[in-house]
Amino acid sequence: MKRVAALAFAALLAAPCFALDLVVPAYFYPAGKKNPWPQLAVAAARAPLVAILNPASGPGTFTDPNYTAAIAGVRSAGGRVIAYVSTRYATRPLIEVTADINAYLGMYAVDGFFLDEMTNDADAGHLAFYQSAYNYIKALNPAYHVMGNPGTNTQEAYASLPVADSFVVFEGNATSYSAYVPAAWQAGYARSRFVHIVYKSDKKQMAKDVANAVARGAGGLFVTSDKLPNPYDVLPSYWKDEVTEVGAAP
């Protein structure tokens, strides 16, 4: 019995430990010679990875077998897939938000939801809106992960209620990220609750961004060389290096 316990402990010590999850806005179609989804599956077998599914700024109107296969590939490799839902800064009717959630569940096997365009103010009505969406999702399945995207530092109330399990607290270009300072209250929460997304970053800067994400308390990160108006329609040319860099982060 002692030998079994010792072997189990040794295996635990040998298991890879990652400071960061890869959180990828996978806003590209899963077909064709340059389909990036297989690369996500390869990465998911090496490092913790969350892909954000976004067929049509939402679920679309029909089940696309190419997305079904892409999702299955990432999930079977150990990754998770969460579904994009627009909230329009709490101006979208909640019934439309829940309709998108239900549509996704009727078409695809997902692990949670990405609530985009989240407010970051202290308005009680905004907090109630997102708490209602969060409670609706958790009532469907408590295991669903809910990621909110204010894209900038937010109020602690969003985390303490909570209205999401994790938050994108930075989304911007590499120049802006070099000066980013997280809100002081974040230090009281697990780093797994905070995600940074950086675009227009070259390969050399990417390595610095990974180090900065760890130093600034992020638990999830995506860095890309792509740029506006849509910085998430391809993977960066240095994607394999990014996966390696994240794996090597202290």
Side-chain angles (χ1 to χ4, degrees), residues 176-236:
S176 297
Y177 191 54
S178 65
Y180 171 72
V181 177
W185 64 262
Q186 292 180 29
Y189 293 78
R191 65 167 57 241
S192 60
R193 303 199 66 185
F194 306 107
V195 176
H196 299 170
I197 296 176
V198 186
Y199 54 80
K200 202 176 179 182
S201 183
D202 62 27
K203 182 179 177 180
K204 183 178 180 180
Q205 182 61 43
M206 175 272 292
K208 295 179 181 178
D209 294 337
V210 172
N212 283 337
V214 174
R216 294 167 182 173
L221 177 69
F222 179 63
V223 184
T224 182
S225 52
D226 206 359
K227 55 188 177 181
L228 295 173
N230 181 6
Y232 313 126
D233 55 355
V234 296
L235 285 175

Side-chain angles (χ1 to χ4, degrees), residues 121-218:
D121 55 39
D123 186 289
H126 294 164
L127 286 164
F129 175 93
Y130 290 105
Q131 191 170 31
S132 294
Y134 180 79
N135 290 342
Y136 182 84
I137 292 167
K138 292 296 185 176
L140 292 170
N141 186 341
Y144 287 145
H145 184 86
V146 181
M147 185 180 294
N149 183 26
T152 187
N153 287 338
T154 189
Q155 304 290 320
E156 184 175 5
Y158 285 76
S160 62
L161 281 173
V163 304
D165 301 310
S166 61
F167 301 86
V168 178
V169 290
F170 179 87
E171 182 182 10
N173 63 41
T175 301
S176 297
Y177 191 54
S178 65
Y180 171 72
V181 177
W185 64 262
Q186 292 180 29
Y189 293 78
R191 65 167 57 241
S192 60
R193 303 199 66 185
F194 306 107
V195 176
H196 299 170
I197 296 176
V198 186
Y199 54 80
K200 202 176 179 182
S201 183
D202 62 27
K203 182 179 177 180
K204 183 178 180 180
Q205 182 61 43
M206 175 272 292
K208 295 179 181 178
D209 294 337
V210 172
N212 283 337
V214 174
R216 294 167 182 173

Side-chain angles (χ1 to χ4, degrees), residues 34-129:
K34 295 184 178 181
N35 173 15
W37 279 86
Q39 295 183 62
L40 296 183
V42 170
R46 294 181 55 197
L49 181 142
V50 178
I52 303 171
L53 170 72
N54 187 9
S57 296
T61 58
F62 64 95
T63 304
D64 187 326
N66 289 318
Y67 276 112
T68 301
I71 294 166
V74 168
R75 297 182 81 217
S76 65
R80 292 180 292 161
V81 177
I82 61 176
Y84 176 97
V85 178
S86 169
T87 69
R88 295 203 296 266
Y89 303 101
T91 65
R92 190 179 186 200
L94 193 60
I95 193 171
E96 293 184 9
V97 171
T98 57
D100 273 6
I101 291 165
N102 292 335
Y104 274 116
L105 294 176
M107 292 190 284
Y108 303 112
V110 297
D111 301 290
F113 297 90
F114 180 79
L115 303 182
D116 196 24
E117 305 161 326
M118 179 176 275
T119 57
N120 71 324
D121 55 39
D123 186 289
H126 294 164
L127 286 164
F129 175 93

Side-chain angles (χ1 to χ4, degrees), residues 1-15:
M1 190 65 133
K2 289 182 179 179
R3 177 174 171 75
V4 172
L7 289 172
F9 183 65
L12 180 63
L13 291 178

